[in-house]
Amino acid sequence: MLTEILAAAATPPKNAFGFIEAMEQGGVIAWSVLAILTIMSVSSFYILFSKLFEQNKIMKQGAAMRSNFWRAGTLKEGAAKLDKNSAYRQIVDDAIKADADHAKLTDPVEAHDWLHGSIERSQDLIKSKLATGLPWLATVGATSPFIGLFGTVIGIYRALIKIGIAGQASIDAVAGPVGEALIMTALGLGVAVPAVLAYNWLQGRNKRIAEQLAAFSNDVLGYMASDGGVKPIATTAGGVKTAPAPAKPAAPAVKK
């Protein structure tokens, strides 16, 4: 008898109010809410890391452009120094193509306006690609707290039903449903906060990239409009300015 008492005392009591137990109290609704929030969280982190990789790639392309592109004598020579998939090369290639297409127009259009519109469209395509996935982060940040709140409401509802059945509010009767309700609230906030932070951070980085693309596009436009007379000073990887190569006429030159 004494041995049985000592063995029972040495065995810790089973926790009847753990996470799994609380979720089981909620049933299908609780598990469904958990599954939805899990999907939203995983997809948010996937978008975060994929966008970071994409942004870092363009930032490295910008550094390569600043150290190599403006050392070339012409735009075509500079474009050849850039990676084939570089966003900056896309702008240069579109600008050169727009300059060549301007001569084919039957309705006279100012060359500067034609080039400016073509380069701006190229920028917009790049910025649109960078922005993909960000609306989903905003959606997750805005809706996940309410999805968690839905689970909370169901948990409180179950707790009230148990109180009504028992006729009194005892801890053991309502601990499970209330615990499940609090877990749903915490999960909703845990999914929303990282999504909102990621959205704002990525938006800020996209804005800086857009500013760099706009500055480069303006330099390309100025170079083409001046037949190579206006040319920025190239910089090395460490930010040291170097003398640009002697200016050559743009190929092809802007039609007057």
Side-chain angles (χ1 to χ4, degrees):
M1 184 68 180
L2 181 60
T3 305
E4 293 178 358
I5 295 175
L6 292 176
T11 303
K14 181 181 178 181
N15 183 10
F17 307 107
F19 177 80
I20 301 298
E21 289 75 15
M23 294 301 298
E24 289 176 349
Q25 290 284 338
V28 177
I29 294 179
W31 287 110
S32 299
V33 171
L34 177 63
I36 293 172
L37 291 176
T38 300
I39 293 172
M40 296 176 81
S41 179
V42 171
S43 60
S44 297
F45 278 101
Y46 172 78
I47 292 173
L48 170 61
F49 291 118
S50 61
K51 290 288 109 178
L52 279 177
F53 174 79
E54 191 174 355
Q55 290 175 342
N56 290 335
K57 183 178 179 181
I58 294 182
M59 288 179 177
K60 290 180 181 179
Q61 293 171 356
M65 177 277 300
R66 287 187 290 272
S67 60
N68 296 320
F69 181 79
W70 291 114
R71 295 181 183 179
T74 64
L75 291 181
K76 286 186 176 180
E77 292 176 3
K81 294 183 177 181
L82 300 177
D83 184 74
K84 183 181 296 185
N85 297 322
S86 172
Y88 292 89
R89 178 163 181 172
Q90 176 181 329
I91 292 175
V92 176
D93 290 343
D94 290 344
I96 294 174
K97 184 179 184 301
D99 190 32
D101 291 343
H102 181 261
K104 303 175 184 178
L105 299 178
T106 57
D107 187 18
V109 177
E110 179 65 32
H112 180 274
D113 295 338
W114 175 258
L115 284 173
H116 183 270
S118 300
I119 293 175
E120 189 171 11
R121 285 194 298 272
S122 184
Q123 289 184 71
D124 291 340
L125 287 174
I126 297 171
K127 290 187 288 186
S128 177
K129 183 179 180 181
L130 285 172
T132 55
L134 297 188
W136 174 249
L137 290 179
T139 301
V140 171
T143 59
S144 56
F146 296 102
I147 295 175
L149 182 61
F150 173 75
T152 299
V153 171
I154 297 300
I156 298 298
Y157 173 71
R158 292 177 184 278
L160 293 176
I161 290 178
K162 285 200 171 186
I163 292 174
I165 294 175
Q168 57 182 357
S170 59
I171 294 297
D172 57 344
V174 300
V178 171
E180 176 235 333
L182 296 177
I183 288 174
M184 291 294 103
T185 301
L187 289 176
L189 294 175
V191 173
V193 172
V196 172
L197 293 177
Y199 175 80
N200 291 331
W201 187 35
L202 293 175
Q203 280 282 56
R205 287 166 62 90
N206 278 350
K207 183 179 179 181
R208 290 194 295 272
I209 292 174
E211 291 172 351
Q212 295 172 1
L213 291 173
F216 175 72
S217 299
N218 186 67
D219 292 337
V220 171
L221 184 61
Y223 180 90
M224 299 183 74
S226 63
D227 290 341
V230 177
K231 188 174 184 179
I233 297 177
T235 60
T236 62
V240 180
K241 295 181 178 180
T242 59
K248 297 181 183 180
V254 177
K255 312 301 182 294
K256 302 294 185 184

